[in-house]
Amino acid sequence: MRIYLDYNATTPVDPAVLAAMLPYFSENFGNAGSVHSAGQRARAAVDAARESVAALIGAVPNEIVFTSGGTEADNLGIFGAVAASQKSRKHVITTAIDHHAVLHSCEELARQGVDVTFVPVGRGPASQGIVDPEDIRRALRPETVLITVMHANNELGTIQPIEEIGRIAAEAGVRFHCDAVQSAGKVPLDVKSLGVDLLSISAHKFCGPKGVGALFVRSGTRIVPRAWGGHAERDRRPGTENVPGIVGIGKAAELARLKLTEDASRIRALRDRLEASLLERVPSVRVNGDRTRRVPNTSNLTFVGAGGEALLIALDLQGVACSTGAACSSGSTEPSHVLTASGLSREDARSSLRFSLGRPTTAEEVDHAISVIPAVVERIRALSPRTAPSSTAAMPAR
Ligand code: PLP
């Protein structure tokens, strides 16, 4: 039995999404920029996808710019908004736990002379992995041109107070970008109530194909493009449209919208069962991140005294796939920046695993994982130089 519990890294393409995409590789291969009927069929499909993506996030279709994924959407939103500002000195605010697609963009901005503030996040049990909006307010300066804060954190699942930050940004007249790559399809998204000017999503996180995403750009928000070419995406993102991919994100968005409520409650129940059972059966386990303000599918656990990489490999051999952090950081010896910023020691951060469930996850899979994980943890702990019991005595219950 192979059990995939790494849906925050990526998801399988839903069969209905694949079926919708397939004709656009073959009989409907037209270029959406062509005038003839083949081009018009492709254009109509792109337009329909734009409506569907807009509906998922409460936007209007012409506020959607298709991109090659979440990373490009983040880059376009961040660099595009900063370049569009007329200010001579520029300052950007982000958080210590944002995704590398945002953090590394901000670091590049800093190399280009923009000041960047990386706001820390809560470390206490009741707010671990959540930024305090007042800290964002305190970081504001007259030269601030952009606030960029993620919605759901990819490692902890914690949901950031985007509405409050949106109000702070609006009061200050500062553009607000939100990386919602990990919340699209997991929790309802409405760009109006979130108060964002720019918002990124990525199809492969909600049962769509890899390599396609979207940036919401509120009407009236100016961004300077990152690439130069033809007039696609209303001059904001040139290049021949990836029609099959765009059809894929459109279908995936439609399914996500229709199934969200049902998916969320079923997946939450399974995640809670997994978490509760592991807390009961494995000694010295901690849940990382605020437990109430979380997306329903994610559980990040520290198995005190057991190396995360060793656990990951041993679990994989038992057929259970999970993660030690962001997929792109796997294999690196550095502990997760999210976990250390959330107050974990480097050692505990290295002893943590992320389990993330998805639409295909079944109760049988969760039960099987529950039956396999305790013995694997015990074995890895026995092999580890630091033994768990010495660190359990003073451990707070979270
Ligand atoms: N932002 C977050 C929060 C993510 O989790 C990811 C992917 O892991 C990305 C951005 C990047 O998205 P993509 O893989 O589509 O480039």
Side-chain angles (χ1 to χ4, degrees):
M1 194 171 187
R2 297 207 71 79
I3 298 163
Y4 184 81
L5 294 175
D6 200 13
Y7 288 91
N8 284 8
T10 196
T11 62
V13 173
D14 190 288
V17 171
L18 182 61
M21 292 172 70
L22 281 177
Y24 293 92
F25 288 105
S26 49
E27 63 261 37
N28 293 337
F29 65 89
N31 184 328
S34 299
V35 177
H36 47 62
S37 54
Q40 287 171 25
R41 278 198 296 280
R43 170 61 53 208
V46 168
D47 289 346
R50 205 181 298 283
E51 279 182 24
S52 169
V53 169
L56 178 68
I57 62 172
V60 295
N62 68 14
E63 293 176 317
I64 302 299
V65 177
F66 289 119
T67 67
S68 65
T71 301
E72 190 195 334
D74 285 343
N75 275 260
L76 180 59
I78 293 169
F79 285 94
V82 171
S85 159
Q86 301 298 316
K87 292 191 178 173
S88 52
R89 283 191 61 197
K90 297 181 186 184
H91 170 241
V92 170
I93 300 171
T94 188
T95 78
I97 60 163
D98 259 77
H99 190 267
H100 282 147
V102 167
L103 291 184
H104 290 170
S105 294
C106 289
E107 285 165 14
E108 176 56 24
L109 282 172
R111 280 188 288 274
Q112 295 176 9
V114 173
D115 283 340
V116 182
T117 302
F118 299 90
V119 174
V121 297
R123 290 159 161 252
S127 62
Q128 193 185 32
I130 296 192
V131 70
D132 180 346
E134 289 309 312
D135 287 340
I136 301 283
R137 191 196 297 280
R138 279 188 281 273
L140 282 168
R141 301 183 197 166
E143 61 270 25
T144 307
V145 295
L146 180 74
I147 298 170
T148 172
V149 176
M150 70 189 336
H151 194 203
N153 181 268
N154 46 301
E155 296 190 35
L156 298 168
T158 46
I159 297 176
Q160 307 306 313
I162 298 300
E163 288 91 342
E164 287 93 319
I165 299 170
R167 280 194 286 276
I168 291 168
E171 275 167 31
V174 170
R175 291 280 182 237
F176 182 25
H177 168 258
C178 176
D179 175 339
V181 166
Q182 289 291 349
S183 52
K186 295 177 184 142
V187 292
L189 279 180
D190 178 58
V191 289
K192 289 187 199 69
S193 54
L194 290 174
V196 295
D197 300 301
L198 300 149
L199 178 136
S200 308
I201 64 169
S202 176
H204 76 101
K205 307 292 187 179
F206 54 96
C207 298
K210 293 169 186 60
V212 58
L215 177 69
F216 157 77
V217 183
R218 180 177 299 290
S219 298
T221 299
R222 209 170 83 75
I223 54 165
V224 175
R226 303 303 301 154
W228 303 93
H231 296 295
E233 299 300 297
R234 303 170 85 226
D235 290 327
R236 292 168 296 187
R237 202 274 189 174
T240 300
E241 287 93 337
N242 166 14
V243 178
I246 290 172
V247 168
I249 193 173
K251 188 68 186 174
E254 178 194 325
L255 295 179
R257 190 165 52 84
L258 296 175
K259 297 185 179 201
L260 196 136
T261 313
E262 180 196 328
D263 277 352
S265 64
R266 196 183 65 83
I267 290 171
R268 182 190 305 280
L270 292 176
R271 187 275 312 270
D272 289 349
R273 176 148 115 215
L274 174 70
E275 201 169 83
S277 304
L278 293 180
L279 287 172
E280 192 187 301
R281 292 176 194 206
V282 186
S284 309
V285 179
R286 290 179 200 155
V287 179
N288 297 317
D290 184 303
R291 286 173 79 168
T292 51
R293 290 176 284 173
R294 273 196 292 183
V295 284
N297 80 318
T298 306
S299 175
N300 191 305
L301 302 175
T302 298
F303 297 92
V304 178
E309 290 291 331
L311 277 179
L312 183 78
I313 293 162
L315 283 173
D316 192 39
L317 290 173
Q318 297 289 319
V320 178
C322 59
S323 164
T324 49
C328 52
S329 320
S330 302
S332 101
T333 50
E334 272 304 293
S336 142
H337 73 280
V338 172
L339 297 184
T340 50
S342 304
L344 272 72
S345 67
R346 291 169 68 84
E347 194 170 5
D348 282 350
R350 282 206 188 89
S351 303
S352 300
L353 291 180
R354 176 188 72 187
F355 299 96
S356 50
L357 288 61
R359 193 181 295 150
T361 305
T362 63
E364 293 70 42
E365 288 181 331
V366 167
D367 287 342
H368 191 74
I370 292 167
S371 72
V372 164
I373 296 169
V376 170
V377 175
E378 198 180 316
R379 189 150 46 81
I380 298 300
R381 277 184 177 153
L383 297 171
S384 301
R386 172 192 172 199
T387 49
S390 62
S391 54
T392 58
M395 192 162 47
R398 287 197 211 131

